[in-house]
């Protein structure tokens, strides 16, 4: 087992090699990683089965186990994500602008690698590959720290990727997994000043809070997702029911799944039975306001303040009937986590007001919140979804993992 300091030293050394690596070499390595993953599905699934067995014995809920589970199809999707990253334009070296000052100095700004990027994540083994591929294409070394629930899967994936790099004649230490899953080591990682240039937590509210409170290195927050579907007075109700079902039920364990439903009072009598019917095959539990319960009956649990603020990550959803678009927007801006919000409406004016006034990283008119995803946005794999407003916001692809420097061309100017 490599200790954290050894890993940090190796990543720091690999940082220099990564900064010099050209686009073709990076792309060849990424293709080799994708091929290696596809050629070792059995090995990956065997490691994943260990994690699943431990998770079931530990009593993890269905949503967390779904996040943890790998299948041949999911592994194929992970490999495809790596190939998509290889196909993306390399942002490193891009000159964003160049201008000539009155004194003749030519001043520009160009993209450069971050250096060493740390990612702490929970029960999502796919993040091991997504994060490594994006950091690698962005010219940075990475130090990954998986939660103990996904450890065997993540270790297998990291070892396969490191082997692929070595076969390409590149430093394996460009990709690193912390092999000690203790909290003490996680806290030490959060304080790797001089080694980590940025740290990104990807997981639940508890993990993100722990990183923000304990880290002494720069942090980019990725957020939890209390995402809303608002069905407006003019909504196409069949369309709204389809969007709601997809956003809530297509995959419950992800941060862009819908957790709250708001319905305009003029549409409530007609839409709420449709909503209940759409959600019934998945046995979604409803937590509703009094008006919701009056329409759907006592099978709807009474909604509390905590329900409106909760990221369920399960087959549950809060429901509220609102009197106006303004009330819906106010409710969302009070309870949301700044992730993804949707209005279903046939009114252009209502859609524009919602898009302009709702404070979130991604705001939709007439489409499922499940599209907030780097793959769906055309970024390839993503490092996470930032809900903060500094540097990066929303799905974080390659450009979000770069920094910039100013370049100045002179001809002997002095001040």
């Amino acid at each position: 087992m490599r200790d954290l300091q050894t890993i940090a030293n190796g990543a720091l050394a690999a940082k220099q090699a990564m900064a010099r690596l050209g686009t073709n070499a990076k792309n060849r390595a990424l293709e080799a990683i994708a091929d290696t993953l596809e050629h070792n599905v059995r090995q990956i699934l065997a490691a994943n089965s260990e994690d699943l067995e431990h998770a079931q014995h530990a009593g993890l809920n269905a949503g967390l186990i779904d996040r943890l589970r790998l299948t041949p199809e999911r592994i194929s999707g992970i490999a495809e994500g790596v190939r998509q990253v290889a196909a993306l334009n390399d942002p490193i070296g891009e000159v964003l602008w160049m201008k000539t000052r009155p004194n003749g100095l030519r001043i520009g700004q160009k993209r450069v690698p971050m250096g060493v990027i740390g990612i702490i994540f929970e029960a999502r083994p796919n993040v091991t590959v997504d994060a490594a591929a994006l950091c690698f294409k962005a010219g940075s070394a990475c130090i990954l720290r998986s939660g103990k629930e996904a450890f065997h899967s993540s270790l297998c994936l990291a070892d396969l990727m490191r082997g692929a790099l070595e076969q390409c004649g590149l430093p394996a230490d460009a990709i690193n997994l912390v092999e000690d899953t203790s909290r003490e080591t996680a806290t030490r990682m959060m304080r790797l000043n001089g080694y980590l240039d940025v740290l990104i937590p990807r997981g639940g509210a508890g993990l993100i809070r722990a990183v923000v409170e304990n880290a002494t290195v720069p942090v980019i927050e990725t957020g939890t997702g209390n995402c809303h579907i608002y069905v407006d007075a003019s909504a196409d109700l069949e369309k709204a029911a389809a969007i709601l079902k997809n956003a809530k039920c297509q995959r419950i364990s992800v941060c862009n799944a819908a957790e709250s439903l708001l319905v305009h009072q003029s549409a409530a009598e007609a839409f709420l039975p449709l909503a209940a019917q759409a959600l019934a095959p998945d046995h979604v539990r409803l937590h509703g306001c009094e008006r919701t319960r009056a329409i759907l009956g006592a099978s709807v649990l009474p909604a509390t303040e905590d329900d409106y603020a909760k990221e369920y990550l399960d087959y549950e959803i809060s429901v509220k009937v609102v009197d106006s678009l303004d009330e819906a927007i106010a409710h969302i801006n009070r309870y949301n986590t700044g992730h993804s919000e949707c209005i279903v409406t046939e009114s252009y004016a209502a859609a524009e007001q919602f898009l302009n006034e709702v404070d979130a990283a991604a705001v939709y008119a007439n489409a499922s919140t499940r599209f907030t995803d780097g793959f769906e946005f055309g970024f390839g794999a993503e490092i996470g979804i930032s809900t903060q407003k500094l540097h990066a916001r929303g799905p974080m692809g390659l450009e979000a993992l770069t920094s910039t420097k100013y370049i100045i061309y002179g001809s002997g100017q002095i001040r």
Side-chain angles (χ1 to χ4, degrees), residues 50 65 97 104 131 141-142 149 188 208 285 304 309 337 346 380 405:
E50 289 189 65
I65 289 177
W97 55 264
C142 66
E149 297 84 2
R188 285 179 55 211
I208 295 165
R285 292 183 292 276
T304 66
T337 53
E346 296 301 301
K405 70 165 65 168

Side-chain angles (χ1 to χ4, degrees), residues 263-346:
V263 183
H264 192 282
Q265 57 88 18
S266 67
E269 288 279 356
F271 180 70
L272 285 175
L274 285 178
Q277 182 180 2
L279 299 175
D282 292 287
H283 307 290
V284 177
R285 292 183 292 276
L286 307 183
H287 301 257
C289 66
E290 286 306 311
R291 286 195 282 185
T292 300
R293 300 185 77 220
I295 294 169
L296 294 181
S299 62
V300 177
L301 300 171
T304 66
E305 288 291 302
D306 287 344
D307 286 315
Y308 291 133
K310 190 170 185 178
E311 182 187 33
Y312 291 104
L313 299 176
D314 205 344
Y315 290 105
E316 298 185 67
I317 193 168
S318 66
V319 187
K320 184 177 177 64
V321 177
V322 296
D323 289 328
S324 65
L325 172 59
D326 288 338
E327 184 183 348
I329 292 171
H331 179 96
I332 291 170
N333 285 341
R334 176 179 176 183
Y335 292 105
N336 80 343
T337 53
H339 198 292
S340 301
E341 308 297 342
C342 165
I343 182 174
V344 184
T345 184
E346 296 301 301

Side-chain angles (χ1 to χ4, degrees), residues 17 57 62 103 111 122 147 149 178 223 229 238 242 256 261 308 328-329 360 373 376 382 389 393 407:
H57 287 160
N103 62 4
R111 293 194 185 278
E122 294 178 332
E149 297 84 2
V178 177
I229 304 294
E238 295 292 336
N256 57 24
L261 169 65
Y308 291 133
I329 292 171
D373 174 88
E376 295 292 343
E382 69 182 24
K389 298 181 182 180
R393 195 180 194 196
I407 51 175

